[in-house]
Amino acid sequence: MDEAIRDKVAQLENYIMKNCLWQFNSRGWDRRKQNAGVLGKTTQLLCDEAVENPTPLEKCYWVDAVCLDRAYRELFPWIQSLGKEEIKTLMGHLHAHLDWLTIDGSLNLELKVVNY
């Protein structure tokens, strides 16, 4: 990942860490599922793609994604100058790093308890 993408990922991640509570579920598998749901739907919104919400859980992810989409468009106007593939790549890097930060690289051992 080059420096420009790393900087953009850091900006987007910083917003999530300071303003969103959804990434702090108490179980690792919940965090992974929520990160995928919210960031996946945010990516679709940023790319002006249709978003399907067939279940109540999907609707919950969508609500958080709408908030994130609006914030990203307002606070980071550079995101609107990116093409769809660039947005998908950027959000993929953000998703991977957020998973590492909040799950895989976390020192919170409770996240890894299989019976929790």
Side-chain angles (χ1 to χ4, degrees), residues 17-90:
M17 298 306 284
K18 289 183 178 178
N19 297 286
C20 303
L21 294 176
W22 51 261
Q23 83 280 12
F24 292 117
N25 271 314
S26 59
R27 297 172 296 215
W29 63 270
D30 275 338
R31 288 184 183 192
R32 195 171 309 279
K33 192 173 180 180
Q34 189 128 354
N35 288 350
V38 174
L39 294 176
K41 290 185 183 301
T42 302
T43 301
Q44 290 176 297
L45 292 168
L46 289 170
C47 291
D48 298 317
E49 296 175 355
V51 179
E52 298 285 326
N53 298 311
T55 67
L57 185 58
E58 293 292 322
K59 289 176 185 170
C60 183
Y61 296 155
W62 176 76
V63 169
D64 287 325
V66 167
C67 293
L68 199 55
D69 171 67
R70 288 177 182 168
Y72 281 1
R73 289 177 190 264
E74 179 181 332
L75 298 171
F76 310 112
W78 50 260
I79 207 163
Q80 296 180 64
S81 68
L82 301 176
K84 286 184 181 187
E85 290 308 312
E86 291 173 300
I87 290 171
K88 289 177 182 182
T89 299
L90 178 68

Side-chain angles (χ1 to χ4, degrees), residues 7-21:
D7 178 58
K8 288 175 177 157
V9 166
Q11 290 176 52
L12 301 178
E13 176 191 301
N14 188 47
Y15 178 84
I16 290 172
M17 298 306 284
K18 289 183 178 178
N19 297 286
C20 303
L21 294 176

